[in-house]
Amino acid sequence: MSTGTEKRGALAARRATIAGLLMASAGLVVAKLGGVVMPAVPPALVIMLVAALFVLVRWRWTPIVGVLAALAEGVGFFASGSYVRLVDVAEFGISAGSWLRLLGVITAVVFGLVALKAAD
């Protein structure tokens, strides 16, 4: 039997997961506005927004969708070499967008795992 505190903690973790996915999405938009060449609607943006909608649904398993979407974005971020833009002070918009992406991904993964654990 779960207590009210446990339910509030699980809900807070879900909200933080959604916030992380939205932050990473905002980072993509900021980077695009800063000059990064990407499609008009980046697929990663769509994936993270859809994942945020999944996490919004309070089914026990839905936080895993947010975790997997954030992990995929994180892997893509490092595999594509985008991480070098974190310290590119000459392009402030691109650097700021990269930091938002990275921090959003980390937030979504960490709190998504917490939400999954709290769903047990």
Side-chain angles (χ1 to χ4, degrees):
M1 178 179 244
S2 69
T3 65
T5 303
E6 290 173 351
K7 287 182 182 180
R8 283 192 301 272
L11 182 58
R14 281 178 179 271
R15 288 179 178 162
T17 304
I18 293 167
L21 290 165
L22 294 177
M23 185 186 326
S25 298
L28 279 169
V29 172
V30 169
K32 181 171 176 56
L33 293 174
V36 172
V37 177
M38 58 179 76
V41 179
L45 178 65
V46 174
I47 291 167
M48 288 188 293
L49 292 176
V50 169
L53 288 174
F54 265 94
V55 177
L56 191 60
V57 177
R58 289 193 190 172
W59 293 335
R60 193 173 162 198
W61 59 270
T62 56
I64 193 66
V65 175
V67 170
L68 292 174
L71 282 174
E73 175 61 17
V75 168
F77 181 75
F78 285 99
S80 69
S82 295
Y83 65 91
V84 299
R85 295 179 172 144
L86 292 170
V87 293
D88 186 6
V89 293
E91 299 287 340
F92 178 76
I94 295 173
S95 181
S98 296
W99 277 106
L100 276 172
R101 273 175 78 187
L102 181 60
L103 294 174
V105 163
I106 292 168
T107 301
V109 170
V110 169
F111 285 101
L113 292 173
V114 170
L116 282 170
K117 178 64 178 158
D120 284 345

